[in-house]
Amino acid sequence: MKKRPLTRKELKYYARMAAEAYVNDPVHSYATKNEKIRKKYVYHFMIERLTTSNREDIIYQDEEKRGICIWRRAHNEYDIFDFLMCPNYIFLALYLPNTIKTLMAYGHLDVKVFPEDCYIISPVFVDPMHQGKGIATELIRKGIADLVPQGYKLGLEAQNPENVKFYEKLGFRVIKHDHWKRENIDNYYMMYEGE
């Protein structure tokens, strides 16, 4: 669990990692078609996203900094105003249309699916060079081990159908499925029921 806020250097480090890990994410692929531009965009988007997380979410890091898992309250939605407060004006100038498209796509999400006392994974990612080594699994299990005994319900939203089976192995079950026609993106709402 985060014992201290992430430093600016750590925020940039994890944002670079996210740019590689999320380059083919369905929402980011919809919002930014060009892969080279998308990597740059995801880097800047994640700096702002992680900066917001740094203030209010529960953050787990792999000891060797190969991955990160962030748990946020399900009803704590992010919107364009979180990104308008960003100190990186280059990000705003260059990527505002991409940010608006990304947030509009995420705007379809129905957080009311989750109970008020629910934390959701948002996001979890691992350096692509270290994927498949159980790092994400370990980080998620740490969150489960800490949060469930405190009485919290746990959930997540997955837009990549390939990830659903991974989360099912960790004890999450699909409770609702949406298809966003305009973006051609599926969203799976999942709740933790125990392994």
Side-chain angles (χ1 to χ4, degrees):
M1 189 183 306
K2 176 179 74 169
K3 303 291 187 212
R4 55 170 177 75
L6 297 173
T7 65
R8 188 73 178 164
K9 184 177 179 181
E10 287 173 318
L11 290 169
K12 288 181 177 182
Y13 172 81
Y14 285 116
R16 278 192 296 278
M17 188 184 297
E20 294 296 326
Y22 279 102
V23 70
N24 295 315
D25 175 78
V27 173
H28 292 300
S29 295
Y30 159 75
T32 310
K33 303 296 182 205
N34 180 296
E35 184 176 318
K36 186 176 178 183
I37 294 171
R38 189 182 320 133
K39 279 187 182 182
K40 291 178 183 177
Y41 166 68
V42 173
Y43 168 77
H44 290 289
F45 182 90
M46 289 305 291
I47 283 209
E48 300 316 315
R49 171 65 183 82
L50 292 171
T51 298
T52 301
S53 287
N54 212 23
R55 294 192 298 264
E56 52 202 40
D57 297 339
I58 299 170
I59 301 174
Y60 293 85
Q61 302 172 66
D62 170 60
E63 287 181 13
E64 296 174 42
K65 295 190 177 182
R66 298 170 297 176
I68 193 168
C69 180
I70 297 172
W71 295 83
R72 71 175 171 92
R73 288 194 179 270
H75 291 232
N76 181 14
E77 297 181 83
Y78 296 104
D79 58 31
I80 192 68
F81 297 108
D82 289 304
F83 290 87
L84 289 176
M85 291 188 306
C86 96
N88 185 349
Y89 296 108
I90 294 172
F91 169 75
L92 289 176
L94 293 177
Y95 300 112
L96 187 59
N98 308 75
T99 302
I100 291 169
K101 281 182 83 173
T102 300
L103 293 175
M104 285 177 65
Y106 281 131
H108 295 299
L109 294 170
D110 180 12
V111 296
K112 296 196 177 26
V113 166
F114 299 109
E116 291 265 348
D117 60 344
C118 182
Y119 273 89
I120 61 172
I121 297 171
S122 180
V124 58
F125 54 87
V126 172
D127 184 329
M129 291 176 48
H130 296 286
Q131 290 176 357
K133 298 179 180 177
I135 297 165
T137 299
E138 179 184 334
L139 292 170
I140 293 167
R141 283 190 172 138
K142 282 181 183 177
I144 291 168
D146 285 349
L147 296 170
V148 169
Q150 295 180 52
Y152 293 111
K153 294 182 174 50
L154 306 178
L156 62 93
E157 302 153 339
Q159 287 80 43
N160 189 336
E162 295 172 11
N163 293 341
V164 172
K165 294 232 180 280
F166 165 74
Y167 290 119
E168 285 176 337
K169 289 178 184 174
L170 291 170
F172 291 87
R173 301 293 170 258
V174 175
I175 59 167
K176 182 180 176 184
H177 170 252
D178 287 331
H179 179 75
W180 308 335
K181 290 180 185 173
R182 184 180 60 190
E183 298 89 351
N184 194 27
I185 296 172
D186 286 286
N187 186 66
Y188 301 86
Y189 300 87
M190 304 183 77
M191 288 291 295
Y192 178 72
E193 294 180 358
E195 290 184 66

